[in-house]
Amino acid sequence: MEKPFFELKDISKYFAKVIANKDVSFSVNRGEVLALLGENGAGKSTCMKILYGLYRADKGEIFKDGVPIIIKSPKDAMRYKVSMIQQHFSLVSAHTVTENIILGNVKGKINWEEESNRIQHLADKYGFSVDAKKKIKDLTVGEQQKVEILKALYLDANLLIMDEPTAVLTPQEIDNLMNFVKDYSKQGNAVIFITHKLKEVMSVANRIIVMRNGMVYGNVNKEDTDEIRLSKLMIENSIEELEKPKVDELKKEVCVSLKNICVKEDQEIPLLNNISFDIHKGEIFGVAGVSGNGQQELCMALCGAQKINSGSIYLNNKDISNLSIKDRIGLGMAYVPSDRHRYGLVMSMSLAENILLKTSYSKQWSKNGLIDKKKLKDTTNGILKDFRVKASGPFAIAKELSGGNQQKVIVGREVENCGDFIIFDQPTRGLDLGAINNVHSAILSEKEKGKAILLVSTELSEIFTLCDRVAVFYKGEIQGIYNTSDLNSEKIGLLMAGYKNEGESING
Amino acid sequence: MIVNLLSRAMMMSTPLLFGALSEVFAERTGVMVTAIEGIFLMGAWAGFTTAYISGSLSMGLLFAALAGLLVSILYAYLCVSLKQHQIVTGTAINILVAGLCSFLQRVVFGVPLSPLTVEPLQKIAIPLLSKIPVLGPIFFNQNILTYSVYLLVPLGFFILYKTSLGLIIRSTGENPEAVDVSGINVSKVRFVAVMFSGLMCGVAGAFYSIGYLGMFTTNIIGGRGWIAFAICFLGNWNPIGAFVGTIIFGLAEAFAILMQSSSSTFLPNELFIALPYILTIILTISRKSFNVPAKLGSAYVKEN
């Protein structure tokens, strides 16, 4: 039998004392697209970084065509024609495409004209519309990924490792990428595709390796499996079915009310134009739309970080339009921001400190003028327990947690502080299935408590599962407000793209 | 008088350019050599002492470079290998070197009754070229270090923008991760860049003691290391920019010396002595274009 192209055997890797990989063994053959499937933190990236020489394995061997090889650095990996595209691209944004591709791969004096022609030629050959002389910072994320792929092609790589390559792409770019992967593997090259999205796995892979907790839990051919069986392999505790609690329509009273909100900056096109809607108690009100159509501004305006130019906001019939952020928090408004690193947590502080952060001025935390450590610790422990946060304790540092667990901490804090109204801005972005499930059940339990909820999401499935009503945003305006049950994805897609269906919308 | 002034400006800008140019290279890899003032001083002391004892200025320059290298290795070890804070480390080293130099000066020379001197570097007039009116005395009647600057600027520019090495240097300051993923050792690039800076700044320091004054005092550098540091910023991390910056400062310094030696009482002398320092502040504020390496001053920590 033919020897596998590349083979990992009993690879183990520890960070401090945490197991990242334990006895990981699998192989990839020529002409094959191998999917490496698993939740965030399952150890997929780690074992691929070992194969690419970025990490050193504590134990285990790597074989190429049956011959043991040693890969100490990416230079070695490149010699064996292995290339890896990192999840967060490693490109120098102030430099040109050419500069990035030839970095470390040329010697002595550089003939810029010749090099950029060569790269342009390569890009054209593969149908990548990338200008070799452009700077990385002027490219879209999709184009940047093409630059990363071009770098691999420039090095004549035969094994291409891609770490979550579709996370940042539009649906059309994803299709193009999948086509490239198929063509490239047909030429006798191998691709390892790291992902946690089942749909992608089924569309592109020949064979699937499922990883969980740093170990291999499955090695199956695509023909022999389906999405449900894969998800069972992938997730430890299978996901609970969510049920949308029914809230009596008539009991609803208005909690939050927006009247003709306008936000403008520098005389240009308004960021928000004439936004009006009400959110009732116990209602999940969705905001759908392509990212960047005013959703961020809406959340900021509601929480008080963005000044509104006209209009007014009412919370429980009280005009809060001119109140400070702190006053709004005091009135019971909670906010889960979309960018958790920037607005959600202080990464270098402990979880307990982060819990304290938003209501630090409140008397509830103070005892004799000092922080009531015991109360803070108990509250934090409660949140960690309620939301099943995987952390060493209330004094773990925020950045040590995985993205999903960080988000659970934020959700926990906001739910804790929430009086009547809570804003969720893309609460599940970048999370794996288990964490998404946790966040969704938190949202539903808030609904059950009778709170008014604003849910901004770019994932239509999320809107459909959770929301009672939805407003579709386009260029800072509301395209229409609908009962979710009256919409399907085709209709909402048209609205998101700017087509208006007159007469169908219900009143907010 | 103008010719005299410009000729002196060329000369006074020489050590600043050695310092600023090497700082450009180090900062392009992401490391600010904040020990620059100390390296200047160490070079000045080592250069003078070696020259005084051996009687050879070439030996003085060599040992100045080596002394600068030594200090830079200490700095690189702390900041690149141990990833310590660059500003704190640099400040500590500057203070350490200042104390060390006055200590060593005492140990080697005791307390001499008259100032110790050496014959400073001689100007070398280039045949024919130095006879050109105006330009000749300005550009072609200088000492060996000033001449080498004419080579260093285009050479520095060429390396930084036209070679593979330059691309690696520039990328390291912008995104060390990208460099790492390309299979290049980030720490090694940074360490070597700081060492290069140490060699150059050692020579720059020696310029003040044996290239110009012919003597050593503990305050001989008087903040000029910091000016070279500032010129790197002002010159937008570009060798050509650094060159323009040093000429401006060289002029200011030459002007101050001229005013000191003339008996004019029109303005107080101290104003001209302070001129380069005032200029630093004004130019820093008024500079517009920014080319600052994205990862300047932050250590590269790699999980392993």
Side-chain angles (χ1 to χ4, degrees):
Chain A
M1 206 184 104
E2 201 194 339
K3 300 266 192 209
F5 189 20
F6 277 90
E7 185 178 5
L8 300 178
K9 205 169 173 195
D10 297 329
I11 297 283
S12 293
K13 171 78 188 167
Y14 302 87
F15 287 116
K17 276 179 188 152
V18 183
I19 299 170
N21 282 154
K22 192 171 185 336
D23 299 329
V24 171
S25 303
F26 61 85
S27 61
V28 59
N29 300 312
R30 284 194 168 81
E32 186 177 44
V33 180
L34 183 74
L36 204 50
L37 180 70
E39 297 237 271
N40 294 340
K44 300 164 298 192
S45 299
T46 306
C47 74
M48 286 299 104
K49 282 182 176 170
I50 289 169
L51 179 54
Y52 186 59
L54 282 171
Y55 293 160
R56 299 282 296 277
D58 294 316
K59 201 181 117 235
E61 291 171 290
I62 301 171
F63 298 88
K64 186 188 182 193
D65 297 315
V67 182
I69 55 171
I70 293 167
I71 297 180
K72 282 188 195 162
S73 88
K75 267 268 174 291
D76 295 334
M78 288 172 199
R79 209 170 305 127
Y80 293 114
K81 303 291 178 197
V82 177
S83 263
M84 179 167 179
I85 297 173
Q86 309 291 318
Q87 184 176 8
H88 303 287
F89 302 148
S90 32
L91 296 170
V92 180
S93 59
H95 288 178
T96 64
V97 171
T98 305
E99 283 177 298
N100 270 284
I101 290 177
I102 66 174
L103 171 63
N105 301 319
V106 284
K107 289 238 151 41
K109 186 175 182 298
I110 298 169
N111 185 339
W112 288 112
E113 201 55 38
E114 193 184 300
E115 291 294 341
S116 72
N117 281 340
R118 226 174 110 192
I119 286 159
Q120 195 62 59
H121 186 74
L122 191 68
D124 296 343
K125 188 176 140 197
Y126 282 90
F128 290 174
S129 50
V130 172
D131 184 347
K133 287 178 181 169
K134 262 198 176 169
K135 290 201 167 148
I136 297 297
K137 62 180 171 205
D138 298 327
L139 301 182
T140 65
V141 184
E143 288 171 321
Q144 291 180 12
Q145 186 177 60
K146 285 177 185 160
V147 176
E148 289 272 16
I149 296 174
L150 276 175
K151 188 164 186 173
L153 296 173
Y154 180 88
L155 294 168
D156 292 320
N158 298 125
L159 172 62
L160 184 58
I161 306 166
M162 302 173 114
D163 194 350
E164 302 274 2
T166 61
V168 290
L169 302 184
T170 65
Q172 213 203 342
E173 286 172 328
I174 293 176
D175 287 344
N176 288 338
L177 177 68
M178 296 299 180
N179 287 335
F180 166 78
V181 166
K182 283 174 194 161
D183 286 348
Y184 177 76
S185 61
K186 262 183 210 144
Q187 295 161 19
N189 302 306
V191 177
I192 300 181
F193 202 93
I194 303 177
T195 186
H196 63 260
K197 294 183 183 166
L198 294 163
K199 214 178 270 173
E200 281 166 12
V201 170
M202 295 309 287
S203 82
V204 75
N206 305 113
R207 199 154 55 84
I208 300 134
I209 305 288
V210 184
M211 286 187 76
R212 192 206 304 166
N213 292 337
M215 288 180 278
V216 173
Y217 270 75
N219 182 348
V220 286
N221 288 320
K222 187 181 88 177
E223 291 78 28
D224 308 332
T225 188
D226 56 40
E227 292 187 25
I228 295 167
R229 271 191 271 175
L230 283 177
S231 74
K232 277 186 184 149
L233 278 174
M234 196 168 127
I235 298 163
E236 218 162 351
N237 314 312
S238 56
I239 292 178
E240 315 152 26
E241 279 296 310
L242 291 176
E243 212 174 300
K244 194 154 63 171
K246 293 268 175 282
V247 173
D248 194 352
E249 296 282 327
L250 292 171
K251 262 208 243 165
K252 283 184 192 169
E253 46 183 307
V254 171
C255 177
V256 182
S257 180
L258 281 74
K259 300 248 189 291
N260 308 319
I261 303 291
C262 291
V263 171
K264 260 186 216 173
E265 245 163 39
D266 310 331
Q267 316 294 321
E268 288 189 20
I269 317 145
L271 298 167
L272 287 178
N273 194 14
N274 218 11
I275 301 294
S276 303
F277 58 80
D278 295 337
I279 308 176
H280 302 88
K281 291 194 171 163
E283 178 182 44
I284 303 181
F285 187 86
V287 170
V290 178
S291 171
N293 275 291
Q295 298 99 317
Q296 169 93 19
E297 288 76 15
L298 175 73
C299 295
M300 290 295 192
L302 280 169
C303 82
Q306 166 83 55
K307 226 178 111 57
I308 54 175
N309 298 72
S310 64
S312 30
I313 306 167
Y314 297 91
L315 179 64
N316 292 326
N317 297 320
K318 183 177 156 54
D319 187 348
I320 60 163
S321 317
N322 294 315
L323 293 187
S324 68
I325 299 178
K326 186 177 150 183
D327 290 339
R328 296 185 201 202
I329 293 171
L331 285 173
M333 182 188 287
Y335 174 36
V336 177
S338 63
D339 189 340
R340 58 179 167 267
H341 291 172
R342 193 157 168 204
Y343 300 113
L345 294 170
V346 180
M347 285 298 166
S348 54
M349 287 183 1
S350 74
L351 300 182
E353 285 169 313
N354 272 294
I355 297 287
L356 173 71
L357 198 59
K358 215 162 165 188
T359 48
S360 56
Y361 52 83
S362 158
K363 289 233 163 53
Q364 60 164 317
W365 300 115
S366 95
K367 190 175 155 189
N368 307 327
L370 299 172
I371 294 173
D372 186 346
K373 273 264 159 93
K374 190 179 174 308
K375 184 172 178 200
L376 182 60
K377 197 177 146 193
D378 291 344
T379 311
T380 310
N381 267 328
I383 289 172
L384 299 188
K385 196 165 148 269
D386 290 349
F387 289 86
R388 293 189 215 156
V389 179
K390 268 188 212 161
S392 57
F395 298 106
I397 304 301
K399 67 178 165 207
E400 290 166 358
L401 272 61
S402 72
N405 284 309
Q406 288 169 357
Q407 185 73 346
K408 287 187 222 167
V409 171
I410 299 174
V411 171
R413 174 183 71 198
E414 297 305 320
V415 166
E416 180 81 20
N417 294 336
C418 174
D420 300 308
F421 176 43
I422 183 161
I423 305 165
F424 289 96
D425 188 1
Q426 307 199 37
T428 58
R429 192 169 70 170
L431 302 190
D432 58 46
L433 291 174
I436 289 174
N437 195 252
N438 282 144
V439 172
H440 282 179
S441 45
I443 295 174
L444 287 175
S445 94
E446 288 308 286
K447 175 187 168 74
E448 225 164 344
K449 287 182 207 158
K451 296 186 180 167
I453 295 159
L454 181 79
L455 174 65
V456 175
S457 180
T458 50
E459 295 278 337
L460 290 182
S461 58
E462 188 164 82
I463 297 274
F464 282 117
T465 352
L466 298 175
C467 297
D468 301 295
R469 286 186 306 151
V470 57
V472 183
F473 270 54
Y474 179 72
K475 293 197 171 164
E477 290 185 28
I478 291 184
Q479 288 282 89
I481 297 172
Y482 299 87
N483 287 323
T484 358
S485 47
D486 300 339
L487 277 179
N488 55 32
S489 33
E490 193 193 352
K491 215 187 251 176
I492 204 170
L494 284 171
L495 289 165
M496 281 164 65
Y499 298 98
K500 233 175 189 164
N501 294 354
E502 292 299 334
E504 275 189 34
S505 132
I506 55 162
N507 281 326
Chain B
M1 193 183 94
I2 294 290
V3 169
N4 195 355
L5 182 78
L6 291 177
S7 164
R8 184 157 256 171
M10 277 309 294
M11 184 167 145
M12 295 316 292
S13 64
T14 304
L16 295 178
L17 192 62
F18 269 94
L21 202 59
S22 65
E23 187 75 32
V24 166
F25 273 81
E27 294 198 8
R28 282 292 189 142
T29 71
V31 187
M32 291 188 274
V33 186
T34 49
I36 188 167
E37 179 81 8
I39 298 175
F40 265 51
L41 186 61
M42 200 70 224
W45 180 81
F48 175 80
T49 307
T50 315
Y52 187 86
I53 292 169
S54 71
S56 155
L57 292 177
S58 326
M59 286 301 280
L61 286 177
L62 178 69
F63 275 80
L66 290 177
L69 179 68
L70 226 66
V71 179
S72 72
I73 288 175
L74 173 66
Y75 180 76
Y77 177 68
L78 291 170
C79 288
V80 179
S81 309
L82 300 184
K83 311 194 191 302
Q84 296 305 299
H85 195 280
Q86 294 177 9
I87 292 170
V88 175
T89 308
T91 308
I93 288 181
N94 290 333
I95 295 169
L96 179 75
V97 169
L100 186 69
C101 281
S102 37
F103 170 72
L104 289 175
Q105 181 75 353
R106 279 282 187 89
V107 170
V108 177
F109 297 108
V111 185
L113 293 171
S114 59
L116 305 167
T117 54
V118 295
E119 190 62 30
L121 278 177
Q122 291 305 301
K123 293 191 171 175
I124 305 163
I126 307 244
L128 293 176
L129 289 176
S130 61
K131 297 288 183 287
I132 303 170
V134 185
L135 294 181
I138 297 174
F139 292 107
F140 300 110
N141 187 20
Q142 298 286 7
N143 69 34
I144 183 80
L145 291 176
T146 307
Y147 288 132
S148 56
V149 157
Y150 301 155
L151 285 177
L152 280 172
V153 174
L155 189 67
F157 185 85
F158 176 79
I159 290 175
L160 207 51
Y161 291 103
K162 305 284 179 191
T163 68
S164 163
L165 176 67
L167 179 60
I168 291 172
I169 289 172
R170 287 184 290 129
S171 302
T172 307
E174 289 289 337
N175 186 353
E177 215 147 55
V179 175
D180 196 6
V181 169
S182 302
I184 299 156
N185 187 330
V186 172
S187 295
K188 204 162 126 193
V189 173
R190 290 184 165 178
F191 209 108
V192 172
V194 173
M195 281 169 62
F196 168 71
S197 176
L199 278 173
M200 301 274 283
C201 292
V203 173
F207 182 95
Y208 290 105
S209 60
I210 61 175
Y212 164 58
L213 286 174
M215 56 188 282
F216 176 82
T217 61
T218 47
N219 59 356
I220 189 166
I221 302 303
R224 290 192 188 85
W226 289 120
I227 289 181
F229 186 81
I231 288 172
C232 168
F233 278 66
L234 299 172
N236 214 6
W237 292 272
N238 181 321
I240 311 284
F243 179 65
V244 174
T246 48
I247 294 296
I248 294 172
F249 281 98
L251 261 176
E253 198 158 346
F255 202 68
I257 293 169
L258 190 80
M259 292 322 260
Q260 256 175 305
S261 52
S262 76
S263 53
S264 156
T265 50
F266 177 57
L267 282 168
N269 243 332
E270 286 75 9
L271 182 70
F272 294 101
I273 297 168
L275 204 58
Y277 307 91
I278 297 169
L279 254 178
T280 307
I281 296 171
I282 295 172
L283 287 180
T284 311
I285 298 165
S286 58
R287 184 186 60 141
K288 278 208 176 66
S289 59
F290 286 95
N291 207 8
V292 48
K295 287 292 149 67
L296 182 60
S298 60
Y300 179 58
V301 182
K302 187 187 167 187
E303 274 186 286
N304 218 336

